[in-house]
Amino acid sequence: MNSIIPTALLTLLALVNFGQACIDKSIYYEIDNEIEKIASSINAEEQLVHFYGGIVRLAAHDFMDYDQNSDTSFGSDGCIDWNHEVNKGLETIWCTSCPLTKLYRKKYSFISKADFWIASANAVIRQLSKNQSFDLANTFLWGRKDATTCKGSGNRIPLATGTCQDVEDTMLDAMGLEWRDAVALLGAHTIGKGHEAVRSPFERHDGYWMPTVADSLRFDKQYYEELILRTWRARNSGTDLEDFTASTEETHEHPQIMLKSDVCLLYNSDSNYPCCSKTHRFRNGRNQCDVEQVLSKKKCRRYSNRDTRMQAVNAVLEYLGGSSPNDNQGPFYRAFNTAWYKATTNGHDNLKPLRRMC
């Protein structure tokens, strides 16, 4: 009996390693399977969109507070500033009674929350990708340490009313990414939805980025197609809820939205909001931009060729995968893989790749 105890203790120490237990491929794909099991128990599509989209948002908000210029860099550290309005809604994804939290505490608390959140987000992306073909396992690294506090980190994440300047401040200047990386990461909105506010006006951007709820359960390049093909008109101008909505919103069960930080990837809307993307379009004799006859002549401006944000425009066009319509997901998937890798590893040294076996 005495000879067994030292062995057990050594095994435990090797596993725990201060919250950085080894993650091999079997554990990684086991997490994937568990996420899929939870998803299969959710019958309502709207709730499923919230579950899937919330997991990706949780991982993203954990890494979007990284600032390479600060002594307190933050980044993926399993810590969210729960009291900040930018993170409202995430408490329904990570809480004592939330399925994702219960799964972690029951089976995976030997690894860091930061690693678990990223592995879970990777699972969502794979499951919703075209033919479930987009697997991020080869670029997944583990070994992050969880922080006990990250007060103020929410101030580094753009609010839902943010502009391209906020995206530039966060993703380029602070996180060290390029415009093509930022555009790729924002493509994850394809599985997102706006949330009706419970406690915060910043979450009342009601609607879906995609035309239907079913479209919001696919991780693909449709975000860029919608951005280019739809007529986007300013909504809630002069309020805390400024955004854009599609001119076809009245034909859908839910309004279709784009945030100002989405539309500005293609148009210089930062400088002339409120505006409309396609003032020349009509339906049944009515200008699609018209809301009280205000926007039909105020077109969102294009960027000049010398503007650095043309890099964002070119990325949007590249991720379309060619002339529309097409089903070429390759450019978007490759760019997202690169951007996700950069974002999730920012500020970390000595992270390790998945092992075949621990």
Side-chain angles (χ1 to χ4, degrees):
M1 186 69 174
N2 290 337
S3 63
I4 296 176
I5 294 176
T7 303
L9 285 174
L10 287 172
T11 302
L12 181 62
L13 288 171
L15 250 184
V16 176
N17 191 23
F18 300 101
Q20 297 185 72
C22 169
I23 303 178
D24 61 21
K25 289 189 175 181
S26 65
I27 294 173
Y28 179 86
Y29 285 112
E30 185 180 271
I31 293 172
D32 189 306
N33 289 334
E34 294 287 355
I35 297 297
E36 194 163 25
K37 286 180 184 177
I38 296 173
S40 66
S41 69
I42 301 174
N43 296 320
E45 281 190 333
E46 289 189 25
Q47 294 178 13
L48 190 56
V49 170
H50 177 68
F51 173 71
Y52 272 142
I55 291 175
V56 175
R57 182 173 169 236
L58 180 67
H61 279 217
D62 191 25
F63 66 60
M64 284 177 66
D65 59 12
Y66 176 76
D67 188 347
Q68 63 183 350
N69 307 307
S70 173
D71 292 336
T72 308
S73 59
F74 294 134
S76 292
D77 56 9
C79 188
I80 295 288
D81 187 357
W82 297 106
N83 294 321
H84 198 286
E85 60 264 32
V86 76
N87 293 318
K88 297 303 181 187
L90 289 178
E91 75 280 358
T92 63
I93 299 297
W94 191 261
C95 64
T96 302
S97 60
C98 293
L100 186 69
T101 315
K102 292 168 72 174
L103 171 64
Y104 173 75
R105 291 177 176 172
K106 181 179 179 181
K107 299 188 67 173
Y108 301 107
S109 59
F110 60 88
I111 66 178
S112 69
K113 286 187 295 183
D115 286 343
F116 178 75
W117 290 351
I118 294 169
S120 298
N122 286 6
V124 170
I125 291 166
R126 187 201 65 79
Q127 291 169 30
L128 299 186
S129 65
K130 179 72 174 179
N131 298 323
Q132 298 190 337
S133 61
F134 187 30
D135 192 337
L136 294 163
N138 288 337
T139 53
F140 175 80
L141 302 180
W142 59 270
R144 297 164 186 82
K145 294 181 180 179
D146 290 336
T148 56
T149 180
C150 52
K151 185 177 180 180
S153 62
N155 294 327
R156 300 180 179 181
I157 302 173
L159 294 169
T161 52
T163 64
C164 265
Q165 186 59 58
D166 297 300
V167 173
E168 188 169 339
D169 291 345
T170 297
M171 293 191 175
L172 277 66
D173 296 343
M175 295 178 64
L177 304 179
E178 300 176 6
W179 267 117
R180 60 181 291 104
D181 300 319
V183 174
L185 291 176
L186 287 169
H189 279 163
T190 188
I191 55 171
K193 71 180 292 287
H195 303 280
E196 294 184 3
V198 176
R199 290 181 291 171
S200 168
F202 296 98
E203 289 298 320
R204 287 218 305 262
H205 294 266
D206 184 28
Y208 289 77
W209 275 264
M210 297 298 104
T212 69
V213 179
D215 290 331
S216 300
L217 289 171
R218 292 196 295 265
F219 188 85
D220 58 17
K221 65 185 178 68
Q222 189 174 350
Y223 168 83
Y224 309 104
E225 296 172 348
E226 296 297 318
L227 186 58
I228 288 177
L229 297 176
R230 298 258 179 222
T231 298
W232 295 102
R233 64 176 184 237
R235 181 177 70 166
N236 305 319
S237 179
T239 74
D240 289 336
L241 306 175
E242 289 185 343
D243 59 10
F244 286 83
T245 190
S247 60
T248 54
E249 66 169 308
E250 66 273 11
T251 66
H252 292 90
E253 182 179 354
H254 302 280
Q256 190 176 355
I257 65 167
M258 286 281 176
L259 301 180
K260 291 194 290 185
S261 54
D262 297 311
V263 173
C264 66
L265 300 178
L266 193 60
Y267 301 97
N268 190 4
S269 55
D270 280 9
S271 65
N272 69 325
Y273 185 91
C275 61
C276 183
S277 64
K278 300 179 186 297
T279 56
H280 63 284
R281 285 192 174 177
F282 289 81
R283 184 191 304 114
N284 299 325
R286 178 186 174 189
N287 190 296
Q288 292 187 32
C289 291
D290 272 348
V291 177
E292 299 178 356
Q293 307 298 315
V294 174
L295 295 174
S296 59
K297 294 183 180 179
K298 191 171 183 182
K299 187 174 182 178
C300 298
R301 299 178 187 139
R302 296 280 187 175
Y303 292 104
S304 71
N305 289 333
R306 291 178 293 180
D307 197 308
T308 58
R309 290 181 187 167
M310 276 301 295
Q311 297 172 37
V313 176
N314 292 334
V316 170
L317 298 175
E318 177 187 341
Y319 302 159
L320 286 175
S323 300
S324 186
N326 69 74
D327 197 26
N328 180 15
Q329 309 295 333
F332 169 49
Y333 284 171
R334 287 190 293 271
F336 187 90
N337 189 22
T338 298
W340 189 256
Y341 173 81
K342 291 179 182 179
T344 56
T345 58
N346 255 340
H348 293 282
D349 297 320
N350 302 317
L351 294 180
K352 304 171 182 64
L354 287 176
R355 300 180 182 179
R356 185 179 63 82
M357 182 180 297
C358 287

